[in-house]
Amino acid sequence: MIQPKPEITNITPTYHGAFDYDELRQLGYSPDEVIDFSVNSNPYGPPPGVREAIARVPLDRYPDRECIALREKLAAQHHVEIENIVVGNGTAELLLLIALTFLHPGDHVIIPDVTFSEYERVASIAGAAVQSLTWTPENGHSFFDPQVQMRDAAARFAGVRLVFLCNPNNPDGTHLPASWIIEHWLAKHPETLFVIDEAYANFLLEPESAIEQMPPNLLAVRSLTKDYALAGLRLGYAVAHPEIIEAVCRVRPAWNVNGLAQAAGLAVLDQDCWLRETVHQLHDDKRQLVTGLRSLGLEPLPSSVHYFLVNVGDGAAFRTKLLKHKIMVRDCASFGLPEYVRIATRTPEDNAKLLAAVEMIRA
Ligand SMILES: Cc1ncc(COP(=O)(O)O)c(C=O)c1O
């Protein structure tokens, strides 16, 4: 029997937030009746006009392979050229393409941990040697204090081909200023490619991006899936110098972004005001939710975005109990944080249901 490549054999399945449809089927739940706090998308979306835009897409015609119209709009938004942008079937596809484009077997990759599991998976698929940059309280720093913890990290980047950094980070929502990362990391290691995942940058109250400075060793990835609640379509893009983008495009499958996603992207990019208003609303909603959780004896960790971690003692048990009330949170055992759950703020109505369910399970 033919065997896969050895580097593939060692790759274990990754665990993510969002519905596990098989689990819902086994519980006899329809996805419509479960409130999902495990996915960090904008709960107010999709914005008006998206459904109408996708309804007009001809289904019998191939989409634009080059996503020209979408790249033009994205380029205008970021004050760059379309040659600086590649669009993907979600950010997750771009992460894989980036790994396949830039990593040779054995290359050293650094991933600050704990973080989104896809970085390690895609680097392993490319055969790279992954080193986690992990901090523990024994290092003398508190666990969730990235700026302190990362100050010394740059010394470890010598000889490293690629660094993945999630900013703001998943799962804890901590954020490092882009100018700080560029000054302390990118400028000091021009030979290393820094892939900065800004999937949640738009959820900051005052969004900022490494793209504004665009050093030559930056590859920024962004997700429209999260900002505009397009998880059923998926849409992401990467921004970098044209030589980097051109290389990724050589690996990219033809027609990788379907016509519905492109139409949705064009529709949402006219909705910047909607995005800023809903993000401000979400931060207000988060404050109320955090207050409610505190009144039930829980202590959410500080975060810069709408999702946050909460130590509940046994994250898996907490999730299972809430699921009986048709509420899903993200158990963080797969991040190596079994005591924690991650909760993404939703609308006040949904948040009230979460608080009521938490009160019942802790009674
Ligand atoms: C940090 C981060 N990046 C990327 C993604 C994937 O986003 P997309 O739907 O655009 O592929 C996720 C999804 O959970 C994420 O948490």
Side-chain angles (χ1 to χ4, degrees):
M1 180 75 160
I2 191 155
Q3 294 298 311
K5 299 188 291 180
E7 53 269 35
I8 304 301
T9 318
N10 297 330
I11 293 165
T12 49
T14 37
Y15 181 84
H16 287 296
F19 290 153
D20 172 342
Y21 289 87
D22 190 38
E23 180 184 37
L24 295 190
R25 203 173 15 230
Q26 285 177 31
L27 290 166
Y29 295 168
S30 132
D32 292 338
E33 56 185 342
V34 180
I35 309 177
D36 189 3
F37 290 84
S38 76
V39 64
N40 300 331
S41 293
N42 188 334
Y44 288 103
V50 175
R51 284 180 200 284
E52 293 77 358
I54 61 178
R56 287 194 290 272
V57 175
L59 295 183
D60 60 343
R61 195 189 297 159
Y62 271 95
D64 176 3
R65 270 195 307 271
E66 304 301 329
C67 299
I68 303 272
L70 194 51
R71 284 163 64 216
E72 279 172 352
K73 264 195 174 171
L74 289 165
Q77 201 174 66
H78 288 290
H79 308 292
V80 296
E81 305 298 324
I82 71 165
E83 290 75 19
N84 294 107
I85 295 181
V86 57
V87 184
N89 178 22
T91 312
E93 183 196 40
L94 292 166
L95 293 171
L96 178 61
L97 295 179
I98 291 164
L100 295 176
T101 305
F102 291 104
L103 294 176
H104 315 94
D107 273 349
H108 287 282
V109 169
I110 281 195
I111 303 176
D113 211 15
V114 291
T115 197
F116 186 47
S117 56
E118 284 296 306
Y119 312 135
E120 179 166 359
R121 203 175 73 85
V122 299
S124 305
I125 291 171
V130 176
Q131 227 185 314
S132 294
L133 210 55
T134 313
W135 295 275
T136 59
E138 295 86 74
N139 294 121
H141 305 308
S142 74
F143 195 85
F144 296 103
D145 188 357
Q147 204 151 336
V148 171
Q149 292 162 345
M150 297 212 179
R151 199 179 300 142
D152 312 324
R156 293 174 57 184
F157 293 157
V160 168
R161 174 121 172 122
L162 193 150
V163 173
F164 284 105
L165 177 73
C166 189
N167 193 40
N169 194 34
N170 174 7
D172 52 304
T174 46
H175 170 247
L176 286 167
S179 53
W180 186 91
I181 302 167
I182 292 170
E183 183 189 336
H184 288 87
W185 289 12
L186 281 77
K188 289 189 178 146
H189 293 280
E191 74 294 350
T192 302
L193 181 64
F194 288 84
V195 178
I196 304 193
D197 184 346
E198 297 185 344
Y200 299 112
N202 273 329
F203 291 96
L204 294 167
L205 266 179
E206 287 175 26
E208 54 125 37
S209 168
I211 298 168
E212 285 153 28
Q213 295 184 51
M214 193 98 102
N217 53 342
L218 167 72
L219 212 177
V221 292
R222 316 263 304 194
S223 175
L224 297 178
T225 309
K226 312 292 184 188
D227 298 351
Y228 296 100
L230 302 177
L233 290 171
R234 317 272 316 294
L235 192 58
Y237 61 99
V239 188
H241 275 243
E243 301 75 20
I244 293 181
I245 296 297
E246 199 260 330
V248 175
C249 286
R250 284 191 224 168
V251 180
R252 178 175 57 101
W255 307 288
N256 63 325
V257 184
N258 70 68
L260 304 184
Q262 291 192 38
L266 286 168
V268 297
L269 287 175
D270 289 329
Q271 310 258 9
D272 199 42
C273 285
W274 176 92
L275 180 61
R276 293 323 316 152
E277 275 168 25
T278 53
V279 168
H280 274 89
Q281 178 63 49
L282 257 186
H283 278 263
D284 288 345
D285 302 338
K286 175 188 162 189
R287 269 191 292 279
Q288 284 187 24
L289 177 58
V290 165
T291 306
L293 289 167
R294 283 203 183 117
S295 71
L296 297 174
L298 293 170
E299 196 45 62
L301 295 182
S303 86
S304 308
V305 284
H306 63 305
Y307 58 88
F308 50 85
L309 291 176
V310 191
N311 187 332
V312 291
D314 181 344
F318 188 85
R319 176 186 184 276
T320 305
K321 285 185 201 159
L322 277 181
L323 205 44
K324 293 204 173 106
H325 295 266
K326 300 193 173 149
I327 284 181
M328 188 176 287
V329 293
R330 172 70 154 92
D331 145 32
C332 291
S334 68
F335 288 107
L337 302 171
E339 305 93 3
Y340 287 84
V341 292
R342 190 191 65 207
I343 296 176
T345 306
R346 296 188 56 85
T347 60
E349 193 192 355
D350 288 349
N351 299 339
K353 289 184 184 154
L354 170 68
L355 290 171
V358 171
E359 189 168 12
M360 274 189 267
I361 68 169
R362 285 173 66 85

